[in-house]
Amino acid sequence: MKQTFQVKHAVGGRMFIDSNKQDVPYTLIPQGQGWKFTVSMPWGPMIEDVLAHKEELNVFVFQEFDDQPTLKTWYYVKDGPVEFDAAESKLTIIADSRIEYYPHEYSV
């Protein structure tokens, strides 16, 4: 299975992080009623942009399989905290809701 991780500015907006274009180690764990993403990434313009738009972020995870359609999960950040720990070089994003769907079911 191939997995792609993306952080975007709102729906259809600017891409901040895309694991297809850069090596972005991350973890995803359930936390309370939401989900916690921890991204290992050094401080730089990308992190500054993410933090500047932290109330307008969407996170996507695509799971591509050899024997079944791609599953896309869309995580909504809403009011979830988005923070950067400079000592650990880790970005934390908390999403409070998500939608899972198969993109091919919505293609025309």
Side-chain angles (χ1 to χ4, degrees), residues 6-59:
Q6 298 177 334
V7 178
K8 294 177 88 173
H9 178 214
V11 179
R14 192 170 104 202
M15 182 75 67
F16 293 121
I17 300 171
D18 184 349
S19 68
N20 279 329
K21 297 182 178 169
Q22 61 201 104
D23 184 25
V24 184
Y26 75 96
T27 59
L28 165 60
I29 58 170
Q31 178 175 313
Q33 298 296 314
W35 297 267
K36 178 181 179 181
F37 291 89
T38 303
V39 185
S40 296
M41 194 172 216
W43 177 261
M46 186 72 64
I47 297 294
E48 287 184 73
D49 284 346
V50 167
L51 294 176
H53 298 92
K54 66 184 181 180
E55 294 161 0
E56 303 165 353
L57 298 179
N58 289 307
V59 177

Side-chain angles (χ1 to χ4, degrees), residues 1-4 61-73 100-104:
M1 173 188 68
K2 178 184 176 198
Q3 192 160 297
T4 300
V61 176
F62 295 82
Q63 293 176 310
E64 298 176 49
F65 305 93
D66 291 333
D67 59 346
Q68 58 188 344
T70 297
L71 175 63
K72 181 176 182 178
T73 307
E100 289 184 331
Y101 65 98
Y102 294 96
H104 76 280

